[in-house]
Amino acid sequence: MKPGLSSERAVILAPKGRDAVVAEALIREAGYYAQACPDFATLLHEIEGGAGCAVIADEAIKTADLRGLGKWLHEQPSWSDFPIVLLTHQGGGPERNPDAARLGHLLGNVTFIERPFHPTTLISVIGSAVRGRRRQYQTRAILENLSESEGLLQTALNAGRLGALELHLPGMELELSDTCKSFFGRGPTEPFTFDDLQASIHPDDRERRQVELDAALRHGADYNVEYRNVWPDGSVHWVETRARIVRHPDGQARSLVGVCVDITARKTSDIERDTLLDQLTSERSALAELTATLEQRVEERTADLMKEVAARERAQEQLRQAQKMETIGQLTGGVAHDFNNLLMAVMGNLELLRKRIPDDPRLHRLIDGALQGAERRASLTQRLLAFARQQDLKAVAVDLGGLIRGMIDLLERSLGPRVALRLDIPDGLPPARIDANQLELAILNLAINARDAMQDGGSIDIRVSEYSAGKGDAALNPGDYLKVSVIDNGGGMSPETLTKAIEPFFSTKPVGKGTGLGLSMVHGLAVQLGGTLELSSVVGCGTTATLILPVTTKALETVGPAEVTRQAARSAVILFVDDDPLIAMSTTEMLEDLGHRIIGANSGRHALDILNSGEPLDLMMTDHVMPGMTGIELAAATRELRPSLPILLATGYADLPEGAQLDLPRLAKPYHQEQLRERLDQLLG
């Protein structure tokens, strides 16, 4: 027989004389397998490879190192007790030889045979050893089958998401599988006793579950119960447990053994189904009631639908109007910006021309007339930019009530004696975040519009009140606002006129009496400040124009007399950047007329080349909207190349990138030469 896990061969170690040959022959004649080994190392190797027993002469191991064999014997599996037959000389048994007793203790399952021995004795001992080894192999097979069965059972439990439990009696010691613990919100390593289980049961289910447990423990009834348990995180879960009593041979109860499963999903589904059934029953009852009044309800629903359709149509119309106004605003802003550039070139050249022509009054009158026309057009472009929400605003904290009270004289002179002005401004109003100058113009504009709507005179009320906008207000962000209402008792406007009132160039006044930009400018200002303009009117009853402006928690701006400090002008080297040749020519002429030396650049890239060249510069003046690189981008790059170089941004736009104008002085287009001189003196002083 070859070595193997179930080998029954006898391995023999008897190096002296013919003991090994004789023992091998005797064992083979008896029908057993045998193999002689030349030395102890070979013997140990064969034992490790698989054998039924070992026959060893005592003289072969007296001087051998037995640690390897002792280690192998000590590490045998629980089913194995390897038999060893030790051949000793006469008187060498454990009763009279301490060395033999020591070997017996070291080797474990040892049988001693004193030489000389009868062959029958050897065969009998070998047979007993082989039969014992065979029973050990059978025990191993049984254990392996049990282990496999246990593995299959555990696989089945895992596949069915079943947890195993055993309650040992009478000590009530609870033993749970990891899966079962998870049904109670515990991890595999967390302790979970029977008392913990009792405490986790939902208070409403404890009594019912205890009745089932008592019946199982006292009378042997099957334990089958569904109940809720509360996890450590407070969540509630359903568990179903099925178990039976396992008894000792004498009939006494040993333990309660069973399985449990989480049925939370099923219970939730059952509850939802019951709820749906209840709802269905209720709906059937309601349907029976509805049938009796069906016609009335159809009429009511039809009316509701018509209202919804009308509301949807109004919303769609408002959306189309807002989109149209946004498109017009973008177009208007672009046109106004281009017009500003043209006016810049016209006004700059006219100012230079006035300074250089002969002292002829007639020519000066012509140039002054041209300048006045250009300035009126500049005012018009400012209104267009206000409508497009692209004007340059300085929004600060302002006392709105004080601002309006301070306008009383101006308003009364503008409205005339036939119009009565009344103010309703409560005390203690929060400050508003506004541009005071622009808001004064807007209020004056609204008051004059109200005056013009009352041809035979009347009264105008200006009221200020607080207002809070919620999430449902589409035109405003949620927050606190102030309302400024200008109310007249004139002829009012029709709904058609009211929808077009804030469109640019729309006016009900006769030709030549208005530009049609007043309300457009006011609306653009309000939106740019973060508010809105609301108009309401009834024909024959008058019109109410309401400016809604955001409040602020910042401290009020203190307004005092400005300290006028005029720095002495000095000649400077200025890098002027503008892509428009007309503006570049006129502005260069104005700057040179002021005594400065100008280095021109027609793009941001061209300006960077000059900055990188090391050319001495005292200031850079740049336009904002240029192809390739904007004025803001050029300023940022200049800050890296020459951090101390003053920069002046000349533009008619207000919608610059967020944070771009923090420390960048600006000059609004179109500007006069004197405005340019003052700005340069401030920066070069």
Side-chain angles (χ1 to χ4, degrees):
M1 175 177 284
K2 296 181 179 179
L5 296 177
S6 300
S7 176
E8 296 179 359
R9 63 185 178 142
V11 291
I12 306 166
L13 177 61
K16 292 185 179 181
R18 300 185 69 254
D19 288 348
V21 176
V22 173
E24 182 179 6
L26 290 173
I27 294 171
R28 288 181 181 273
E29 287 178 3
Y32 300 105
Y33 299 97
Q35 178 179 344
C37 300
D39 52 40
F40 184 79
T42 304
L43 174 75
L44 179 59
H45 177 72
E46 295 298 334
I47 291 174
E48 291 174 344
C53 65
V55 180
I56 307 173
D58 59 355
E59 65 271 15
I61 59 176
K62 282 183 178 180
T63 59
D65 184 358
L66 300 180
R67 286 179 298 180
L69 178 59
K71 182 175 182 295
W72 184 86
L73 292 171
H74 177 72
E75 294 177 353
Q76 293 180 92
S78 59
W79 56 266
S80 177
D81 189 13
F82 186 73
I84 297 176
V85 179
L86 194 59
L87 305 179
T88 66
H89 291 88
Q90 188 172 6
E95 299 85 1
R96 291 171 288 179
N97 189 342
D99 289 340
R102 180 182 61 82
L103 287 173
H105 178 72
L106 174 65
L107 302 178
N109 185 12
V110 179
T111 302
F112 293 89
I113 300 179
E114 294 184 1
R115 292 177 290 188
F117 52 80
H118 195 279
T120 304
T121 302
L122 177 63
I123 297 306
S124 176
V125 171
I126 294 299
S128 297
V130 171
R131 286 192 297 273
R133 189 61 173 168
R134 187 179 299 150
R135 285 192 295 273
Q136 293 175 20
Y137 290 152
Q138 292 171 351
T139 301
R140 179 186 65 188
I142 293 171
L143 290 175
E144 289 175 349
N145 289 335
L146 287 175
S147 178
E148 182 180 358
S149 298
E150 182 180 352
L152 291 174
L153 176 61
Q154 187 60 49
T155 300
L157 291 174
N158 293 338
R161 289 290 296 158
L162 297 174
L165 62 88
E166 183 173 5
L167 180 62
H168 298 279
L169 304 174
M172 309 301 282
E173 296 175 359
L174 183 63
E175 185 178 350
L176 301 175
S177 67
D178 293 345
T179 302
C180 192
K181 280 186 177 181
S182 70
F183 297 157
F184 294 88
R186 269 69 174 185
T189 60
E190 294 184 64
F192 192 62
T193 65
F194 180 71
D195 291 337
D196 295 333
L197 172 63
Q198 294 284 79
S200 71
I201 298 172
H202 194 281
D204 296 343
D205 296 345
R206 286 177 183 171
E207 183 178 355
R208 175 172 55 83
R209 181 254 179 195
Q210 190 62 44
V211 169
E212 295 291 334
L213 180 61
D214 291 342
L217 297 180
R218 294 175 184 174
H219 309 296
D222 286 349
Y223 178 65
N224 185 6
V225 63
E226 298 176 355
Y227 57 90
R228 289 166 290 177
N229 72 91
V230 182
W231 285 19
D233 62 4
S235 58
V236 178
H237 298 258
W238 280 90
V239 170
E240 179 182 5
T241 303
R242 295 174 179 266
R244 286 183 177 179
I245 292 292
V246 176
R247 300 184 183 277
H248 291 290
D250 61 1
Q252 292 294 321
R254 187 185 74 185
S255 60
L256 182 68
V257 179
V259 296
C260 62
V261 62
D262 189 310
I263 58 171
T264 303
R266 175 166 63 84
K267 278 294 185 179
T268 302
S269 177
D270 291 345
I271 293 172
E272 291 177 351
R273 182 197 59 198
D274 294 340
T275 302
L276 288 174
L277 288 175
D278 292 341
Q279 291 177 350
L280 180 60
T281 302
S282 175
E283 289 174 358
R284 286 177 176 173
S285 300
L287 182 61
E289 296 177 2
L290 288 173
T291 304
T293 58
L294 181 60
E295 282 190 25
Q296 177 184 351
R297 293 184 179 276
V298 168
E299 292 177 358
E300 293 175 353
R301 181 55 181 160
T302 301
D304 292 341
L305 289 175
M306 294 301 294
K307 292 179 181 178
E308 292 177 6
V309 170
R312 187 179 296 111
E313 289 177 350
R314 286 195 299 271
Q316 290 175 346
E317 180 60 30
Q318 291 173 355
L319 176 61
R320 286 193 294 269
Q321 182 71 10
Q323 291 173 339
K324 180 176 72 173
M325 296 303 296
E326 183 67 23
T327 302
I328 294 174
Q330 293 174 358
L331 176 61
T332 302
V335 171
H337 179 261
D338 292 341
F339 200 27
N340 257 346
N341 284 341
L342 295 175
L343 288 173
M344 182 68 250
V346 171
M347 292 171 62
N349 289 325
L350 285 174
E351 284 190 342
L352 292 173
L353 184 60
R354 182 172 57 181
K355 294 174 66 175
R356 297 178 182 180
I357 64 173
D359 190 12
D360 185 340
R362 183 172 177 274
L363 292 178
H364 277 280
R365 283 197 304 273
L366 293 174
I367 293 174
D368 289 342
L371 276 172
Q372 291 176 8
E375 288 173 352
R376 291 177 64 182
R377 298 289 76 77
S379 175
L380 178 62
T381 60
Q382 284 301 112
R383 293 190 177 193
L384 289 173
L385 288 172
F387 165 72
R389 304 191 294 279
Q390 294 178 3
Q391 62 181 328
D392 188 11
L393 297 181
K394 296 179 181 178
V396 295
V398 176
D399 178 5
L400 184 58
L403 182 143
I404 296 175
R405 292 187 187 96
M407 295 178 61
I408 291 178
D409 291 341
L410 174 63
L411 289 171
E412 288 178 345
R413 286 196 304 270
S414 301
L415 297 177
R418 301 183 64 187
V419 176
L421 177 65
R422 296 190 294 260
L423 301 184
D424 183 5
I425 305 174
D427 296 329
L429 293 173
R433 187 179 64 82
I434 57 175
D435 184 316
N437 293 331
Q438 295 296 333
L439 186 64
E440 285 181 347
L441 292 176
I443 294 174
L444 180 61
N445 205 324
L446 293 177
I448 292 175
N449 277 352
R451 179 203 64 187
D452 294 344
M454 301 181 294
Q455 298 180 0
D456 298 327
S459 63
I460 294 177
D461 292 273
I462 299 180
R463 299 174 184 172
V464 181
S465 61
E466 297 186 59
Y467 175 70
S468 293
K471 294 182 179 179
D473 199 323
L476 299 170
N477 292 324
D480 296 328
Y481 296 83
L482 291 178
K483 282 186 173 183
V484 181
S485 300
V486 179
I487 307 167
D488 67 63
N489 58 358
M493 292 183 284
S494 66
E496 294 77 11
T497 302
L498 192 63
T499 58
K500 301 178 180 179
I502 63 172
E503 292 184 9
F505 307 113
F506 176 80
S507 177
T508 58
K509 299 177 183 179
V511 176
K513 296 295 184 180
T515 62
L517 289 173
L519 288 178
S520 302
M521 180 195 72
V522 175
H523 177 263
L525 171 67
V527 174
Q528 191 173 354
L529 288 172
T532 189
L533 173 67
E534 293 181 349
L535 296 176
S536 61
S537 185
V538 177
V539 175
C541 296
T543 300
T544 298
T546 301
L547 270 170
I548 303 180
L549 305 168
V551 303
T552 181
T553 57
K554 294 183 179 180
L556 292 172
E557 287 282 313
T558 57
V559 180
E563 182 179 353
V564 179
T565 57
R566 181 64 175 264
Q567 299 289 338
R570 66 180 177 88
S571 177
V573 180
I574 298 176
L575 173 61
F576 179 69
V577 189
D578 200 305
D579 62 311
D580 191 315
L582 289 176
I583 295 177
M585 180 183 68
S586 64
T587 304
T588 298
E589 289 288 342
M590 284 196 291
L591 290 170
E592 290 178 344
D593 185 64
L594 293 174
H596 302 296
R597 185 166 72 87
I598 308 305
I599 300 175
N602 58 10
S603 68
R605 299 295 179 189
H606 186 189
L608 287 179
D609 292 339
I610 297 173
L611 290 165
N612 283 313
S613 68
E615 178 77 26
L617 297 173
D618 297 311
L619 181 139
M620 181 177 77
M621 180 175 175
T622 178
D623 186 23
H624 172 53
V625 179
M626 297 183 294
M629 175 181 288
T630 67
I632 295 298
E633 294 170 343
L634 174 59
T638 304
R639 284 280 186 258
E640 297 181 2
L641 296 173
R642 301 195 185 188
S644 61
L645 181 67
I647 301 173
L648 177 60
L649 182 69
T651 181
Y653 271 117
D655 55 342
L656 300 181
E658 184 69 23
Q661 61 271 47
L662 290 179
D663 62 346
L664 203 59
R666 294 168 62 182
L667 182 61
K669 291 181 179 179
Y671 48 81
H672 294 286
Q673 187 180 32
E674 186 60 29
Q675 294 172 321
L676 178 60
R677 180 203 302 274
E678 291 177 359
R679 208 71 174 102
L680 292 178
D681 287 349
Q682 293 173 2
L683 296 175
L684 296 172

